[in-house]
Every structure is written in structure tokens, then in C-alpha cells.
Amino acid sequence: MSDMKSYVESVLELVKQRDPDQIEFQNTVKEVLTTIVPVLEKYPQYKEQKLLERIVEPERVVIFRVPWQDDNNVTHINRGYRVQMNSAIGPYKGGLRFHPSVNLSILKFLAFEQVFKNSLTGLPIGGGKGGSDFDPKGKSDNEVMRFCQSFMTELYRHIGPHVDVPAGDIGVGGREIGYLFGQYKRIRDAYDSAVLTGKGLTYGGSLTRTEATGYGLLYFVKNLLDDKGINLDGKKVVISGSGNVAIYAIEKAQELGANVITCSDSDGYIYDPHGIDLKAVKLIKEVKRGRIAEYATNHPASEYHEGCHGVWNVKCDIALPCATQSEIDLDAAKALVANGCKIVGEGANMPSTLDAIEYFQANKILFCPAKAANAGGVAVSALEMSQNSERLSWTFEEVDERLKVIMANIYRNAKANAVEFGDADNLVMGANIAGFKKVAEAMTAQGLV
Ligand code: NDP
């Protein structure tokens, strides 16, 4: 084993020993570190500086109690978190997730990914992530508001426009960001617009932020397809999820001429051979906050299938997982390849397990890793911060144009590093290396902090 491979192995072992139960975090650290060995060989000083040992340790983790009362005056206690992973290139930046599955391992994995993703955007933002095991599903607006106010009553002391700038993620959309911002403003008694992103348009939000992750995913995939001389027109696309990322991935895919035939939620999936009726999905999910099963009642040509996993058995040219982590396991990857899928673009964070990614690569699938392909959301969040600082609002077209340029740059940067380090089609390696190099250089310049 080369010197640097054994260095990486020793750091992976250290991570395992420190937090043996944090499986998701261990997996993402493994995914990143095993691909950057060629960079470590080129810059051996990183080993001397113990840079990897530092980069896998969050700069700070905050865990706190969130008490709140439901509409029947029953008291509930949830747990809140903020993981401030790395601030070498800018203030911590990353979403808040409200979902019963939230724990420290998942948030550390998301924060670690975020560090390199944010670096790839080319914008000055560090990496963080946070959230709670609170489940907004089935709660009234007032319950969600009381929870958000309680959550912010502790979080406010750890964030700020120059310190840490949270945004949305699963379970945290415009409604939640509004309540969180209102409480922050009330406690601080100051109008710090840039303390949160994903805000409403009437109080400092950016046009295109809602669409940015889904649109950005399609811009990334299109850059890859253009490079390979493949046309998106008429391609059958399977998409999972029906939340923020999925909805705007469907919208842009359809606009670019693709035929999107599925969407899903955690209960099941819709197959509509005529193409998903996006207006209906938006009505069910964004307005009624309902379940996707409802779609089939008004669309007789469509089918609803219980269980979200079956979506990967649908025959397609392109798969865009946009729901959650680990939704494509090895079996799902095998089914996709067997059914003729040629391209996988990750809209969700780490939706493919490590063995699924290996299987895709072994079968020459054109694979767009989340870190690069879904960076559009955070990129426009950073543009929202710029607009807040300027006290100006850019037009939809202006932000969309910048998003296109950012996604093209991310693609080119990942591709160039994949080529330079000897595996031209390996965008997992290319994206990891491109993201890592900038963070490592900044950490080195700033000394032992
Ligand atoms: P939303 O909460 O808006 O939507 C999530 C969707 O995924 C819902 O349809 C939800 O169904 C489904 N889902 C959630 N958990 C599971 C599960 N365990 N199994 C199957 N389906 C599930 O979240 P977003 O669209 O914002 O986020 C989706 C993914 O994209 C996440 O991985 C997130 O980290 C990532 N991401 C989001 C960004 C953003 O800008 N919003 C930016 C970059 C990445 P149900 O309603 O049943 O829960």
C-alpha cells in the first residue's frame, strides 16, 4: 500500500474509533478521502500538517433542547443541532433538516459533504448543517411556528451573517424559514437579512432560490450530455421525491424536452407514461401538503405503487434521485442498469450507497455526484447573501444566468481534475479533488487553527 493510501486508511480508522456508531459519517468520509490519494501524493505536506485529521473533525457542534407545545397544550421535547464543520473559505453555510431520522451522524455526513460542495461553487462559503428530529408532517402552521421559535431561541447565539448562515433542507421550506427569521429578528432586534437564506421574496429572498437545486441539477447533467454529444430531448427520466428538489428538477427536465415518468414520496411512487403533470404535483405537495398517492385519482393513465423503492425498477434512460440519502442501494443500481439506464444525476445528498456508485462506475454509467450536481441550491443561497449585502434584488433571469454559469464551471472543474488525476470519466473523484484542493490550500494558509 502506498504511503498516502495508508495515511488515508489510518484516518478512516481514527474516525471509526472516535464515533463507532456514526455510520453515515464514516461512509461519506471514506467516499471523499479514498478518492483524494493522488492529491496527497502530489502535496505530501498535507500529511505532515495532519490536515485530514483536522478536516474530519467539526470545528464546533452544538446540541440543544427544543421544548414546544402542540395545539392541545401537550408539551414535547425535541433535540436541535448545528454542526459547524469548516470555515476555512467562508462562514459556515448549509441547511437545516427537520425529520424524525435526524441524528448527529447524518448531520455530520451532510456537513462534511457541504464543505466540499460549497468549495466547488467557487463562492466564499464554508460548510455546516443542522436540524432537529422534529417532524413537521401533520403539524398545524401554529405548531410549526412554535417549534421554529423555540429552535431559534437557542440557535440565534451560534449564527450570524458573518458566522453561520443556515438555509432549508428536508422538512424546512419557505414557511419554516419565515418563522425562524422572524424569531431571530425579534431576539437580535436587528434586520440581518443574510443570516438565513431561502427567505420569502418580500423580505430579502432571492428569485430562483426555490428552483435552484432542481434547475442546477439539470444544468449540470446537460453540461455532461453536451460534452458526450447526447441529446436530452425525448429521454425517459425517472425522478424520486416530490419535494423542493424533485419538483424543480421535473420542471427543468420537461422544459429541456425530456419525458419525466415518475415521482414519489416516502409512502410510494407514481408512474405516468404520458409524463408527470407537474401542476398537479405542485398542488398536492406545495399547496395541500398532501400525499403523492392523490395524483393517481385524477390521472387515470397513471399508476400508484406502494413503497418508494420500486421507482428504480422503472425502465428509463436517466435516473435523478431527489428524495434522500441511500435511496439507491446495490439492488436498485443493478435494476437501473439492467433496464437500460445510462445516466444518473444525484439531486439528493448521497442518494447512492458506496457499492451502488461502484456498480455504476463498473458499468460505465455517466454518474453525476451530488456534491457537484446539486450545488445549485447553495450557490444561489450565496447569491442571496450577496444581494442582501448590497440591499438589492436581481431579476430571475440574472440569477438563473449566474446559476447556469456556476453549474458549467463546477462541471468543467470536476472534469478537469478527473482528467488531470488519470480517470477522465470519474466525476466523483474529480469533484472531490476540486473541492478539497481549495479548502486544503485555505486551511494551510491560515495556520494551525
Ligand atoms: P423536501 O422535504 O422538500 O422533500 C423531500 C422529498 O423526499 C419528499 O417527497 C419526501 O417524501 C421524500 N423523502 C424524504 N425522506 C424519505 C425517505 N426516507 N424515503 C423516501 N422518500 C423520502 O426536501 P428537499 O427536496 O429540499 O430535499 C431532498 C434532498 O435534496 C435531500 O437529500 C436534501 O438534503 C437534498 N438537497 C436539498 C437542497 C435544497 O435546496 N432543498 C440542496 C441540496 C440538496 P415525504 O413527504 O413522504 O417525506
Side-chain angles (χ1 to χ4, degrees), residues 219-370:
Y219 295 151
F220 188 93
V221 169
K222 191 166 180 314
N223 270 281
L224 170 63
L225 296 190
D226 287 349
D227 216 6
K228 297 280 175 192
I230 302 170
N231 199 335
L232 200 56
D233 212 30
K235 291 281 181 300
K236 273 196 190 144
V237 180
V238 156
I239 289 185
S240 64
S242 50
N244 173 265
V245 179
I247 284 177
Y248 294 97
I250 296 173
E251 186 162 286
K252 187 51 76 176
Q254 290 179 336
E255 212 179 292
L256 293 171
N259 182 22
V260 180
I261 51 177
T262 67
C263 64
S264 67
D265 61 20
S266 52
D267 295 331
Y269 74 93
I270 294 289
Y271 168 63
D272 190 339
H274 297 319
I276 291 291
D277 171 0
L278 189 58
K279 252 196 193 149
V281 175
K282 282 186 179 179
L283 181 69
I284 296 167
K285 300 302 286 191
E286 292 186 333
V287 182
K288 296 201 226 161
R289 296 185 189 272
R291 309 305 299 159
I292 203 64
E294 222 182 280
Y295 180 100
T297 54
N298 300 319
H299 296 79
S302 73
E303 299 164 13
Y304 174 69
H305 296 266
E306 294 270 344
C308 49
H309 206 64
V311 73
W312 308 121
N313 293 323
V314 175
K315 207 169 156 43
C316 66
D317 304 301
I318 301 175
L320 303 177
C322 295
T324 192
Q325 68 271 3
S326 306
E327 52 176 317
I328 299 186
D329 56 13
L330 184 58
D331 286 345
K334 283 182 178 167
L336 281 167
V337 173
N339 282 325
C341 176
K342 295 276 184 287
I343 297 142
V344 175
E346 297 190 316
N349 280 315
M350 278 203 96
S352 315
T353 58
L354 294 180
D355 49 3
I357 296 175
E358 273 168 25
Y359 190 80
F360 287 142
Q361 289 174 329
N363 285 277
K364 304 270 171 252
I365 298 301
L366 298 175
F367 183 76
C368 310

Side-chain angles (χ1 to χ4, degrees), residues 378-399:
V378 75
V380 172
S381 274
L383 299 182
E384 184 174 329
M385 291 162 70
S386 302
Q387 293 169 77
N388 293 153
S389 302
E390 285 188 333
R391 299 190 190 279
L392 288 175
S393 298
W394 304 338
T395 62
F396 187 96
E397 290 70 25
E398 200 174 342
V399 183

